[in-house]
């Protein structure tokens, strides 16, 4: 069949013969961009783009659980606040009272803080954590488990134990069993001056001084939370009773 002649009209484009289909690509030929897009579309369950059309980059909508984390949107629970406060602790190392903890948590009372602490300790025991929350009349603190104290000493180096003289032990015992005793009352019970020993016990944070605002301003001595911690009691009421300390 003879080829058609080109039109003499300059406004009419000449007809071009349709090219025969190309031979199939060899098996080892790399995927073209179109074929890659088509395969990706099938995997994503979307229709493939028609050949020759511009190929848009695939976009995957994030599901709600796949959205980027936003720290400001994380829920803060009362239990988290209690744990955070105890983790930070007081600058002076003193226990934090339940009332102070509750004052930082909306709609939580001091009584409810006790249950939150119990829940945290139960979680620590379940997870075999190395720390625990201890409490006494002064409040709560987060500390290393008591049975791991030997590991702490080995890590830091054994600290020299502070020894008390027999006279200091006697004064400390009287203060422990007679909370609020005055210096003069203690002197009469011992039959000797005790002010220097009391000052030493105060420096070691085993005894604290209370001076009332009203007159007479007589200093009264009490044991401290450190005393309770060292002797393994929650309050002086847990100390063993000794009949020898009675006045009779």
């Amino acid at each position: 069949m003879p080829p058609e002649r080109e039109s003499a009209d300059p406004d009419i484009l000449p007809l071009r013969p349709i090219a025969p289909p190309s031979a199939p690509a060899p098996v080892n030929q790399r995927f073209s961009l179109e074929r890659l897009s088509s395969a990706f579309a099938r995997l994503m369950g979307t229709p493939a783009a028609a050949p020759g059309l511009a190929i848009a980059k695939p976009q995957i909508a994030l599901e709600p659980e796949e959205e980027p984390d936003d720290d400001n949107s994380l829920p803060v629970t009362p239990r988290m606040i209690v744990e955070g406060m105890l983790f930070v602790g007081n600058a002076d190392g003193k226990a934090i009272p339940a009332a102070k903890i509750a004052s930082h948590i909306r709609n939580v009372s001091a009584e409810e803080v006790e249950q939150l602490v119990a829940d945290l300790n139960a979680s620590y025991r379940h997870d075999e954590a190395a720390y625990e929350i201890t409490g006494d009349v002064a409040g709560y603190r987060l500390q290393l488990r008591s049975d791991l104290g030997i590991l702490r000493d080995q890590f830091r180096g054994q600290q020299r134990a502070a020894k008390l003289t027999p006279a200091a032990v006697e004064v400390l015992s009287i203060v422990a069993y007679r909370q609020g005793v005055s210096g003069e009352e203690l002197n009469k019970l011992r039959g000797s001056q005790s002010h220097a020993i009391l000052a030493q016990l105060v420096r070691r944070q085993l005894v604290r001084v209370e001076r009332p605002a009203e007159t007479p301003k007589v200093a009264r001595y009490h044991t401290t939370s450190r005393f309770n911690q060292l002797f393994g009691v929650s309050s002086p009421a847990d100390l063993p009773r000794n009949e020898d300390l009675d006045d009779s």
Side-chain angles (χ1 to χ4, degrees), residues 1-2 17 44 50 96 100 109 114-115 148 162 176 179 209 246:
M1 181 176 180
M44 297 300 298
I96 306 178
K100 181 178 180 180
S109 64
E114 181 178 356
Q115 182 59 49
L148 298 178
Q179 299 290 326
V209 187
D246 289 342

Side-chain angles (χ1 to χ4, degrees), residues 10 26 42 45 65 70 73 79 84 95 108 120 122 127 146 151-152 162 165 170 173 175 186 205 209 223 225 240:
R42 288 196 299 271
E65 62 270 13
D70 184 0
S73 65
R79 178 169 158 176
V108 171
L120 285 169
D127 297 339
S146 56
L151 297 179
R152 176 195 58 212
T165 63
E170 181 183 13
S173 299
V175 174
L186 201 150
Q205 298 181 357
V209 187
T223 53
S225 57

Side-chain angles (χ1 to χ4, degrees), residues 55-68:
I55 301 171
K57 294 182 179 180
Q59 296 180 354
I60 305 175
L62 293 177
E63 297 295 333
E65 62 270 13
E66 296 177 338
E67 292 179 355

Side-chain angles (χ1 to χ4, degrees), residues 130-147:
Y131 40 84
E132 62 184 355
I133 300 174
T134 60
D136 52 32
V137 293
Y140 297 100
R141 58 165 53 87
L142 183 67
Q143 63 182 29
L144 188 70
R145 277 183 6 216
S146 56
D147 57 315

